[in-house]
Amino acid sequence: MAENEKKTVKAAKAKSDKPSLWSRIATWFRSVKSEAKKVAWASWKSVRSNSTIVIIAVVIIAAAIGIIDFLFQNAIFGLGNLIN
């Protein structure tokens, strides 16, 4: 019986030693802020040039896909007209 009481006391003590929810949330936000300060952020010039390259690439790829889609659509309609 003494062993069971010791386990119960240890479990109760371990549960009471646990920090509150708000304390854990505050600690998490502090660690996130600390880690964000360590990040090597890109310069504005680099971000702007990379964004421009991505936008141009997306427009070119979208145009290419649109042209290929248009050609396949016309080819399928043309084959359909040959059959009828």
Side-chain angles (χ1 to χ4, degrees), residues 30-62:
R30 279 193 295 275
S31 68
V32 167
K33 183 178 177 182
S34 171
E35 289 298 322
K37 288 181 181 180
K38 296 176 187 176
V39 173
W41 298 100
S43 68
W44 171 245
K45 184 179 178 181
S46 174
V47 171
R48 188 176 56 219
S49 68
N50 289 342
S51 297
T52 303
I53 291 169
V54 168
I55 291 169
I56 291 170
V58 166
V59 168
I60 290 171
I61 292 170

Side-chain angles (χ1 to χ4, degrees), residues 2 5 15-16 19 24 29 33-34 40 42 51 57-58 60 64 81-82:
E5 289 176 11
K15 194 172 187 178
S16 66
R24 288 183 285 154
F29 274 111
K33 183 178 177 182
S34 171
S51 297
V58 166
I60 290 171
N81 288 338
L82 287 177

